[in-house]
Amino acid sequence: MNVNVQIAVHPDKNVLAAATAARLITTLADLQARGVVPRVVLTGGGVGIALLRDVASSPARDAVDWGAVDVFWGDERFVPADDAERNEKQAHEALLDRVPLDPARVHPMPAAPADGGTADEARSAAEDYATVLADQAGPDGPIPAFDVTLVGMGEEGHTLSVFPDSPAVHEQAAGVVAVFDCPKPPPTRISLTLAAARRSREVWVVAAGAGKAPAVAGALTGTPETELPVAGARGTEVTRWLLDTEAAARLPAELRPRCT
């Protein structure tokens, strides 16, 4: 295992979400204490949104100066802005509407028009988000050096909206892509690429459930990212795998930490 990969295992998905929320609060507050305006990339999914709710309900949440946090998204369903499936909408309901963020520092991916949008509109939305990221990155562009990128994963090993053996998993140049014909609905997404995620100082892979155990074990034991895209989600300083016991069940003994 690479020395900058760290694995934490929690008893169940609820403890996992709460522990990740506490870790996120501490990380953001520590960065701000060092004079850094944190750049955090949010994810969706059951645990991803649950941990945001846990941040919102934590008595420690005010340790963070929320007005000095830049918020981005790793992927988004290309659906209208008011669609309940949007990661942005779910994140606002769980956390973002409950803390005093600076709206200018919140950078959602574009929504689809009311009629659902065309493939060309999805590609244009991806290009627009790439421009947002380039503007935020400044001279170090085209992708900001994120501080924390939260990602989930699917049972087949997808992360962000990058699926196995898809055009997105082979993309090396672009930082943001439109994704079509996704195996799970909705079929059209906007997503950071793995190359963009790897601009993050820390990548946190948050996964729960027995169905994800084979992909977790494969990604941590050398399966290539073209087969298991989550294997390609790596931070420049550290990659944290934050798991529940079921997701960690197939890890070889030498990789399995004691449950926390």
Side-chain angles (χ1 to χ4, degrees):
M1 181 177 67
N2 192 304
V3 293
N4 70 345
V5 173
Q6 299 183 13
I7 302 170
V9 180
H10 300 281
D12 57 47
K13 65 181 181 180
N14 295 324
V15 177
L16 169 62
T20 305
R23 185 187 295 270
L24 183 60
I25 290 169
T26 299
T27 299
L28 297 179
D30 286 350
L31 287 166
Q32 290 178 335
R34 289 160 33 201
V36 174
V37 175
R39 290 170 163 172
V40 60
V41 180
L42 302 183
T43 186
V47 179
I49 297 302
L51 76 86
L52 296 183
R53 285 195 294 267
D54 285 340
V55 170
S57 63
S58 170
R61 79 176 195 190
D62 292 336
V64 177
D65 176 2
W66 292 101
V69 178
D70 282 315
V71 178
F72 303 86
W73 274 264
D75 70 326
E76 186 57 273
R77 285 95 174 218
F78 193 60
V79 292
D82 60 353
D83 194 302
E85 289 291 304
R86 269 185 68 83
N87 290 334
E88 179 202 4
K89 180 177 175 62
Q90 294 175 22
H92 272 279
E93 293 170 350
L95 172 65
L96 304 186
D97 288 344
R98 301 169 66 183
V99 291
L101 288 161
D102 178 352
R105 292 189 178 277
V106 179
H107 308 286
M109 290 182 167
D115 64 2
T118 65
D120 283 344
E121 286 170 323
R123 294 187 186 97
S124 178
E127 292 171 0
D128 289 346
Y129 203 62
T131 299
V132 169
L133 295 185
D135 289 345
Q136 293 298 310
D140 296 329
I143 303 295
F146 303 119
D147 292 292
V148 176
T149 293
L150 291 158
V151 300
M153 61 173 289
E155 293 186 0
E156 82 292 76
H158 89 266
T159 193
L160 305 167
S161 283
V162 180
F163 288 83
D165 199 28
S166 64
V169 80
H170 296 283
E171 180 60 58
Q172 298 296 321
V176 187
V177 292
V179 180
F180 304 101
D181 301 320
C182 290
K184 56 185 296 187
T188 303
R189 316 277 185 91
I190 308 298
S191 182
L192 297 188
T193 60
L194 295 177
R198 289 194 286 262
R199 286 281 292 159
S200 186
R201 188 174 62 83
E202 297 195 12
V203 170
W204 298 5
V205 183
V206 186
K212 297 179 183 178
V216 168
L220 283 164
T221 55
T223 302
E225 65 191 53
T226 51
E227 296 179 29
L228 293 175
V230 71
R234 301 187 297 272
T236 60
E237 295 183 13
V238 63
T239 307
R240 301 188 188 279
W241 286 76
L242 307 173
L243 311 169
D244 72 353
T245 52
E246 290 185 340
R250 295 201 184 184
L251 286 177
E254 65 270 19
L255 295 184
R256 190 178 303 174
R258 188 169 65 183
C259 186
T260 57

